[in-house]
Amino acid sequence: MKLCIAEKPSVARDIAKVLGATTPKQGYMEGNGYCVTWTFGHLCTLKEPHDYGPQYKSWNLFLLPIIPASFGIKLIPNKGVENQFKVIERLVEECDEVINCGDAGQEGELIQRWVLQKAKCNKPVQRLWISSLTEEAIKEGFDNLKPAEDYKNLYLAGNARAIGDWLLGINATRLFTKKFGGNKAVLSIGRVQTPTLAMLVQRQKEIDAFNTEEYWELKTKYRDVIFNAAIDRLKTLDRAEKGLEYLKLNPFEIVSFEIKEGKEKNLRLFDLTGLQVEANKKYGYSAENTLHYIQSLYEKKHVTYPRVDTTYLSESLYPKIEGILRKMHFYQDLVAPLLEAPIPKSKAVFDDAKVTDHHAIIPTEVPPSQNLSREEKLIYDLVAKRFISAFYPECKISNTLVEGKVGTIPFKTSGRQVLEPGWRAVYAKEPKEESTDKEKEKEEEQTIPEFIAGESGPHDPMIHQGKTTPPKPYTEATLLRAMETAGKQVEDDELRELLKNNGIGRPSTRANIIETLFKRKYIEKKRKNLIATQTGIQLIDTIEDELLKSPELTGEWEQKLRKIEKGEYEANQFKEELIQMVSELTRKVVDGKGKVIMLQEEEKEEVKEKKKREPAVKKELQSWEETKCPKCKEHNLIKGKTAVGCSDFKNCGFKITFDIFGKKLSDKQLLDLVLKGKTSKLKGFTTHSEALTEGVLTLEEGFQVQLS
């Protein structure tokens, strides 16, 4: 019997269907010589400090650093996890061969290897490596199983990353909490989290320290075209007015007129970070939500594996492109011109040298149905249009540059015109992005007539007054880009691609890092902007060690982890370097001066105490009888003994039970679910198929309740 282990039940079902393992059993599927079982993501985790000795249960400054002689793993303490592991352990014992069907990435490899290690697996292991969950991709993957040995370095890199995060996270968090936390709360330090916070704090300080200054610029209008003086901004109004008087005395003369034709390259296909950036800019979605939507689309077979950091496709995919485009019925108008000729095979799209474990995110040949959520439809649309536009011609433009002078003062202007839209035709119907510099955009869009060098004539000079502006706060989009390039401001796609190896965090973990900073109250959101709180600023100011908060140095660690993945660096050496760093950091902090960081809650408490407390008025809950059914929207709801349902249940069929996934909901929680479509975050679920014990209940489009 061959045992397949997938990362979650839904993926296991897809694999089992293809293999013909259709008989359901407790915790697995069976049939056709296969057993297909699953994990719930991580079943195992690194042991905690107290697992190495009871003395580590309490946080003691003088027991730091905690450095285990060898790192062990243990099951996550959860009944559902323990039961599922027993199933896997028994099947590993009974099988002849294991096929690792985990997520095809570093984290997926680590999850599976830890489980097999814990189950004491000594059977031969093969690896299923696929980029989408379509039936065709799964069949192809099983026809081309790889030896597990091929992915050993991927596991070593994942394991080194986990150990590195444990060493720094456990020790530095205890160290700073005991030294500077004032026994009030935990001060969380992380290998990626802290330099990310440091970037936000640095930007916050630049904004706070910025002094706005007024400036004046000379402009003039000649033949209905605005020209700007090509001199430094003037610091005083007096100088600007003197300049204006001078301009009035002299005619305008054209010095040179030049039109250059150029091309605008096609936009790159999406990697995960690129997609998160675009979704944040366009729809304001957080990085975490975008990851959730694209992961859902992947599991529904509509897109390829999303946790990728490349914008290229492998050359072997080229023959499949036409078939995918033909299946994109909803985008027929955009696809039709491409199918009139062979699909171009450009090096900007297909390049094996730029593809690592996976290729860029693209649609599969399975078109989406109507039952996607609004958010999933919008994310699919981003991926679909980016994919289609990659095969259109480049956009042809003409740039016009005109230089002139008034007396001795040089002037210039420029204009841009689209000659052939090329790939821009895919986005023609979309609303134009709002520019931050309306004045500049207006001038760039002006129509420039033909000028002749040497011509001159009267003109209308003017003074433009402006103010210098501070650096812009980070949004999730700009922060993700900064994490990708370890804090360097990079607009060029080619250069950004080169810097990815030194980025901080991985595409799949960056969203979680940002969410952690929110949860710890080190940052907060004001509209789209991310702002460092006083707690976050104080924490970074307290950390004197540059290693902990430098994006560049953290980027170097990331590069070493990538080298471990390629077999070019020893995992043990990486571990030893971190042990040395943690030991030196502990010594410095323990011997240094102490101070107490005021936490965000304390600041709020102080404000609260100043306000006179008034007794809260208890809000009456809306009754079920006055609540409309969310499905038929005609009849009201009624409450029975075990459920709330539509009063016209026979025809409508809407019903929600009080007991959901083993947790009994209150009337308030049920009302939230019906009226808002979701509850607040709840705990205490005991019977969820993926062993989730906490989360938000949502009412999906088909009026099914889901926990996420």
Side-chain angles (χ1 to χ4, degrees):
M1 178 262 284
K2 292 181 178 181
L3 171 64
C4 301
I5 310 175
E7 192 164 309
K8 55 172 70 175
S10 58
V11 177
R13 283 193 291 274
D14 291 335
I15 290 169
K17 189 179 166 191
V18 171
L19 296 176
T22 51
T23 309
K25 300 278 185 177
Q26 188 65 45
Y28 66 102
M29 310 281 284
E30 189 175 42
N32 203 21
Y34 288 94
C35 281
V36 183
T37 187
W38 54 82
T39 62
F40 307 123
H42 278 280
L43 290 193
C44 296
T45 184
L46 287 173
K47 284 182 176 176
E48 294 171 77
H50 61 258
D51 295 316
Y52 297 106
Q55 70 273 28
Y56 296 127
K57 209 157 191 137
S58 62
W59 290 27
N60 187 328
L61 203 57
F62 301 103
L63 289 175
L64 299 178
I66 303 164
I67 299 167
S70 66
F71 283 82
I73 55 168
K74 66 174 185 176
L75 279 182
I76 289 169
N78 172 290
K79 201 71 192 148
V81 164
E82 288 161 15
N83 290 340
Q84 187 60 18
F85 178 74
K86 280 175 189 165
V87 172
I88 295 171
E89 193 173 33
R90 178 175 62 78
L91 293 172
V92 165
E93 181 62 38
E94 292 170 2
C95 75
D96 304 308
E97 178 185 299
V98 174
I99 301 171
N100 172 355
C101 304
D103 231 7
Q106 195 185 94
E107 198 70 5
E109 191 66 23
L110 185 67
I111 285 168
Q112 297 280 328
R113 295 262 187 157
W114 276 357
V115 167
L116 291 174
Q117 202 176 309
K118 187 74 184 157
K120 298 186 171 63
C121 175
N122 56 7
K123 306 291 168 69
V125 181
Q126 297 221 74
R127 184 56 156 115
L128 174 73
W129 195 268
I130 53 177
S131 282
S132 83
L133 291 172
T134 62
E135 198 169 312
E136 186 193 346
I138 293 170
K139 279 179 181 168
E140 206 175 294
F142 272 94
D143 289 340
N144 295 285
L145 291 172
K146 306 278 194 300
E149 192 58 29
D150 289 5
Y151 298 92
K152 187 184 172 189
N153 289 330
L154 188 67
Y155 159 68
L156 289 173
N159 199 52
R161 177 185 296 278
I163 286 172
D165 289 345
W166 191 101
L167 275 167
L168 196 59
I170 294 284
N171 285 296
T173 297
R174 289 187 175 206
L175 182 65
F176 279 81
T177 298
K178 291 308 289 179
K179 187 78 178 180
F180 307 110
N183 294 323
K184 297 273 176 73
V186 172
L187 297 178
S188 173
I189 307 282
R191 188 179 60 84
V192 179
Q193 173 192 313
T194 304
T196 303
L197 176 59
M199 287 196 289
L200 286 157
V201 169
Q202 176 65 25
R203 178 63 54 89
Q204 192 65 41
K205 287 184 171 180
E206 287 167 6
I207 293 166
D208 292 345
F210 188 83
N211 289 319
T212 299
E213 291 177 1
E214 290 186 329
Y215 64 84
W216 291 264
E217 292 174 313
L218 296 174
K219 294 178 182 251
T220 193
K221 188 190 272 192
Y222 173 68
R223 284 178 57 188
D224 289 330
V225 176
I226 302 285
F227 286 80
N228 299 304
I231 56 173
D232 290 341
R233 287 170 170 176
L234 304 170
K235 299 286 174 71
T236 64
L237 178 59
D238 184 47
R239 284 195 65 193
E241 284 172 342
K242 281 178 183 168
L244 184 65
E245 289 308 311
Y246 176 78
L247 295 179
K248 285 176 180 175
L249 299 173
N250 294 282
F252 188 91
E253 185 186 335
I254 295 291
V255 174
S256 69
F257 175 74
E258 188 181 13
I259 298 178
K260 275 187 181 175
E261 286 196 9
K263 288 178 180 177
E264 259 189 4
K265 288 182 182 177
N266 301 49
L267 298 170
R268 294 234 179 245
L269 291 172
F270 281 125
D271 58 6
L272 179 58
T273 303
L275 181 64
Q276 288 169 319
V277 166
E278 193 68 11
N280 183 257
K281 283 195 321 201
K282 217 163 192 177
Y283 307 123
Y285 294 165
S286 70
E288 187 176 49
N289 283 344
T290 300
L291 177 54
H292 171 73
Y293 304 140
I294 193 71
Q295 181 71 22
S296 174
L297 287 166
Y298 166 65
E299 286 169 20
K300 289 172 182 171
K301 309 178 184 57
H302 304 315
V303 299
T304 57
Y305 184 69
R307 295 163 186 261
V308 297
D309 61 355
T310 181
T311 56
Y312 292 86
L313 300 179
S314 47
E315 288 159 38
S316 62
L317 267 176
Y318 176 73
K320 297 182 180 179
I321 299 301
E322 188 182 327
I324 295 170
L325 288 166
R326 284 189 188 281
K327 289 280 174 68
M328 298 177 76
H329 309 303
F330 185 75
Y331 299 91
Q332 217 164 354
D333 292 354
L334 299 174
V335 168
L338 293 177
L339 299 175
E340 289 169 3
I343 304 298
K345 192 177 181 183
S346 150
K347 203 74 174 161
V349 178
F350 301 94
D351 191 344
D352 284 348
K354 304 276 176 64
V355 175
T356 48
D357 303 332
H358 292 280
H359 54 71
I361 306 168
I362 61 170
T364 66
E365 62 273 23
V366 179
S369 56
Q370 287 304 306
N371 65 356
L372 295 183
S373 69
R374 178 179 175 273
E375 292 81 4
E376 286 171 348
K377 283 175 184 168
L378 290 173
I379 294 295
Y380 181 83
D381 187 64
L382 289 180
V383 173
K385 283 185 176 164
R386 186 64 68 96
F387 175 66
I388 294 166
S389 72
F391 304 107
Y392 267 66
E394 290 179 321
C395 168
K396 287 185 181 172
I397 54 169
S398 80
N399 288 312
T400 307
L401 180 66
V402 191
E403 292 182 347
K405 65 177 182 177
V406 177
T408 57
I409 298 177
F411 278 81
K412 65 180 179 184
T413 194
S414 61
R416 189 176 163 283
Q417 197 181 351
V418 173
L419 303 174
E420 289 176 28
W423 62 266
R424 283 191 172 275
V426 175
Y427 299 95
K429 291 178 183 173
E430 297 205 356
K432 200 176 174 193
E433 275 185 38
E434 274 193 38
S435 170
T436 48
D437 192 339
K438 294 268 174 28
E439 187 87 19
K440 191 179 176 188
E441 185 183 49
K442 195 175 161 188
E443 285 178 14
E444 275 183 3
E445 284 182 355
Q446 61 185 337
T447 306
I448 296 179
E450 192 160 335
F451 291 106
I452 298 163
E455 71 171 88
S456 70
H459 61 110
D460 297 319
M462 64 196 94
I463 294 170
H464 168 73
Q465 184 181 354
K467 285 181 180 178
T468 55
T469 54
K472 289 185 173 63
Y474 280 114
T475 61
E476 285 208 31
T478 55
L479 181 62
L480 284 165
R481 283 295 188 216
M483 291 173 82
E484 189 179 51
T485 56
K488 294 183 175 68
Q489 298 298 308
V490 180
E491 295 301 320
D492 184 66
D493 279 336
E494 298 284 340
L495 187 54
R496 191 186 292 136
E497 201 73 31
L498 293 171
L499 286 170
K500 277 183 182 179
N501 284 351
N502 279 44
I504 60 175
R506 284 179 79 79
S508 54
T509 59
R510 287 177 191 139
N512 186 251
I513 293 294
I514 296 169
E515 288 305 312
T516 300
L517 292 173
F518 279 123
K519 281 176 196 157
R520 300 281 183 198
K521 296 192 169 53
Y522 296 157
I523 63 172
E524 58 193 13
K525 197 178 275 189
K526 289 185 181 170
R527 294 192 188 92
K528 267 191 177 185
N529 297 333
L530 304 181
I531 310 295
T533 64
Q534 271 312 108
T535 308
I537 293 169
Q538 284 185 61
L539 179 57
I540 292 301
D541 287 348
T542 304
I543 300 168
E544 291 177 0
D545 200 301
E546 274 306 307
L547 270 170
L548 271 185
K549 54 185 181 178
S550 160
E552 289 88 351
L553 292 169
T554 307
E556 284 175 25
W557 291 345
E558 207 63 47
Q559 192 180 40
K560 284 174 183 174
L561 286 164
R562 286 172 189 269
K563 282 184 172 178
I564 294 169
E565 213 172 287
K566 293 176 189 167
E568 297 167 3
Y569 202 79
E570 281 294 321
N572 274 337
Q573 192 176 337
F574 179 77
K575 186 174 94 175
E576 289 307 318
E577 285 172 14
L578 272 172
I579 287 172
Q580 188 183 342
M581 183 206 149
V582 164
S583 302
E584 285 174 10
L585 176 71
T586 305
R587 184 176 44 76
K588 272 188 210 167
V589 172
V590 170
D591 294 346
K593 285 180 182 174
K595 67 172 182 179
V596 175
I597 292 175
M598 181 184 264
L599 300 164
Q600 195 75 348
E601 278 85 356
E602 291 174 53
E603 295 166 38
K604 285 178 183 169
E605 280 304 316
E606 282 183 10
V607 174
K608 272 185 194 170
E609 276 173 28
K610 286 175 189 172
K611 290 182 182 176
K612 203 171 182 184
R613 294 199 169 199
E614 289 178 21
V617 179
K618 197 171 181 185
K619 203 175 171 187
E620 283 290 315
L621 283 179
Q622 182 174 328
S623 76
W624 292 111
E625 288 70 23
E626 59 186 9
T627 305
K628 275 267 184 285
C629 170
K631 189 174 180 184
C632 68
K633 296 186 172 59
E634 287 179 32
H635 300 87
N636 287 354
L637 298 176
I638 53 169
K639 185 178 179 182
K641 286 182 181 176
T642 59
V644 170
C646 182
S647 54
D648 185 30
F649 180 76
K650 277 187 181 176
N651 296 313
C652 169
F654 177 75
K655 180 176 83 169
I656 297 180
T657 57
F658 302 151
D659 190 299
I660 299 178
F661 303 126
K663 176 180 175 66
K664 190 167 183 185
L665 299 193
S666 67
D667 274 13
K668 165 80 171 73
Q669 290 160 346
L670 282 165
L671 267 170
D672 281 348
L673 197 52
V674 169
L675 297 173
K676 299 176 185 173
K678 65 177 184 177
T679 65
S680 56
K681 192 168 184 182
L682 305 174
K683 292 183 178 181
F685 299 100
T686 57
T687 60
H688 191 264
S689 62
E690 294 182 17
L692 294 178
T693 58
E694 58 181 79
V696 175
L697 291 172
T698 52
L699 199 55
E700 298 301 311
E701 278 189 14
F703 297 98
Q704 297 297 312
V705 179
Q706 285 192 6
L707 178 63
S708 57

